[in-house]
């Protein structure tokens, strides 16, 4: 060490051989000089591996909000979405190809890389192909946000077999297939985060949303099973369960008409206002950004030893529930 060449701070700054992280480290150490060996070490330690998040239903709503929240942390994003407005036995319009293209531009404006892939969570080959492309492009698949979902509204006996099937195929089987596809890569890495979107209706019964609520209960049971399965591989599996959220899943004529059948002019805000009075926190709904922040917590270092948990984001509406 005595014979090792010394490099002055001025030379370091002049030559640009150390980034801001290295200079800051030298300042914290209280030294005015760094050896060449120390310089190399600091440069290596400042290198950060960029992570990648794969988000189903990413073209709009909670999926897009989660993508934005994670992108703000420098995480590259893959938006996987059906991008088909009309699918059989769903009573409202889903996302479009233009929604997906807009979402991609929005994420790229946050200075991260983004892939937008059209695919269906009901199709395991779509998921496997998209995740392989993710790893080929970015080198890893670190975070899965299993968000894609649809709803049906009405009394139990109103629903025909095909209406029941489409909700279960997307909300439950779609999440299982997303998990199977992601686990293939995460197990190899010996790391990963899976965040599953349930609902406050996955913590209680509901006469108006009996099929949807049952799928959201199923998601919680599956997530806990996944936590037991993948803990040994350092893959954390957790759930976010939001209350009513202002997204196109709820804010559409089909759902609003069923929720307030005696009010042909019902709006999302009028429904929210009706619900507000019964909640401990006097609000009737969440914005997608509120849910995205909870998702980001399960993708952060703060929860690197947390798995099998459910984060209720429901303005206190579940404070009386023991589920």
């Amino acid at each position: 060490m005595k014979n090792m060449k010394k490099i002055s701070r001025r030379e370091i700054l002049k030559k640009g051989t150390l980034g801001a992280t290295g200079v800051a480290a030298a300042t914290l150490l209280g030294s005015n000089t760094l050896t060449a060996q120390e310089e190399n070490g600091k440069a290596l330690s400042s290198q950060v591996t960029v992570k990648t998040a794969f988000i189903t239903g990413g073209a709009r709503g909670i999926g897009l909000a989660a993508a934005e929240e994670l992108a703000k942390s420098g995480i590259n994003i893959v938006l996987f979405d059906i991008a088909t407005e009309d699918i059989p036995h769903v009573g409202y319009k889903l996302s479009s190809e233009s929604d997906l293209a807009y979402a991609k531009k929005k994420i790229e404006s946050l200075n991260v890389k983004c892939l937008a892939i059209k695919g269906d969570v009901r199709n395991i080959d779509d998921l496997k192909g998209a995740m392989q492309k993710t790893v080929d492009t970015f080198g890893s698949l670190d975070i899965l946000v299993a968000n894609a979902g649809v709803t049906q509204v009405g009394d139990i006996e109103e629903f025909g077999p095909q209406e029941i099937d489409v909700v279960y195929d997307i909300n439950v089987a779609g999440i299982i297939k997303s998990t199977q596809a992601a686990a293939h890569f995460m197990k190899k890495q010996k790391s990963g985060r899976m965040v599953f979107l349930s609902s406050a209706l996955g913590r209680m019964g509901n006469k108006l949303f009996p099929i949807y609520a049952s799928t959201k209960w199923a998601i919680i049971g599956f997530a806990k099973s996944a936590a037991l399965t993948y803990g040994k591989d350092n893959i954390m599996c957790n759930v976010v369960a939001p209350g009513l959220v202002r997204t196109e899943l709820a804010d559409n004529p089909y759902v609003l008409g069923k929720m307030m059948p005696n009010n042909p002019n019902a709006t999302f805000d009028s429904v929210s206002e009706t619900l507000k009075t019964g909640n401990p926190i006097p609000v009737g709904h969440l914005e997608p950004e509120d849910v995205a922040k909870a998702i980001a917590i399960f993708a952060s270092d703060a929860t690197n030893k947390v798995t099998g948990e459910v984060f209720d984001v429901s303005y206190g509406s579940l404070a009386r529930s023991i589920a």
Side-chain angles (χ1 to χ4, degrees), residues 247-309:
T247 69
E248 291 85 346
L249 181 145
D251 190 2
N252 63 72
Y254 163 68
V255 172
L256 294 176
K258 289 280 192 174
M259 292 182 76
M260 300 190 79
N262 298 322
N263 183 359
N265 300 314
T267 65
F268 183 88
D269 287 324
S270 64
V271 170
S272 174
E273 192 65 26
T274 300
L275 296 174
K276 180 171 72 173
T277 56
N279 295 323
I281 301 173
V283 298
H285 74 278
L286 304 165
E287 297 297 333
E289 295 76 17
D290 299 321
V291 186
K293 288 178 171 60
I295 293 169
I297 289 173
F298 280 134
S300 73
D301 288 343
T303 54
N304 62 6
K305 292 182 176 63
V306 176
T307 195
E309 299 295 341

Side-chain angles (χ1 to χ4, degrees), residues 160-229:
Q162 293 173 317
E163 291 174 308
I164 296 168
D165 288 349
V166 73
V167 182
Y168 265 84
D169 286 347
I170 294 172
N171 293 13
V172 182
I175 278 186
I176 295 170
K177 292 171 185 177
S178 298
T179 300
Q180 291 173 330
H184 172 75
F185 298 100
M186 291 182 177
K187 286 194 295 183
K188 290 180 180 179
Q189 298 167 180
K190 286 294 180 182
S191 67
R193 305 295 180 89
M194 297 187 186
V195 185
F196 305 98
L197 267 294
S198 179
S199 167
L201 295 183
R203 311 285 268 168
M204 63 180 76
N206 189 280
K207 288 176 64 177
L208 199 56
F209 292 87
I211 309 304
Y212 177 77
S214 66
T215 67
K216 294 301 180 177
W217 276 86
I219 288 167
I220 292 174
F222 174 73
K224 289 181 177 289
S225 299
L228 294 173
T229 300

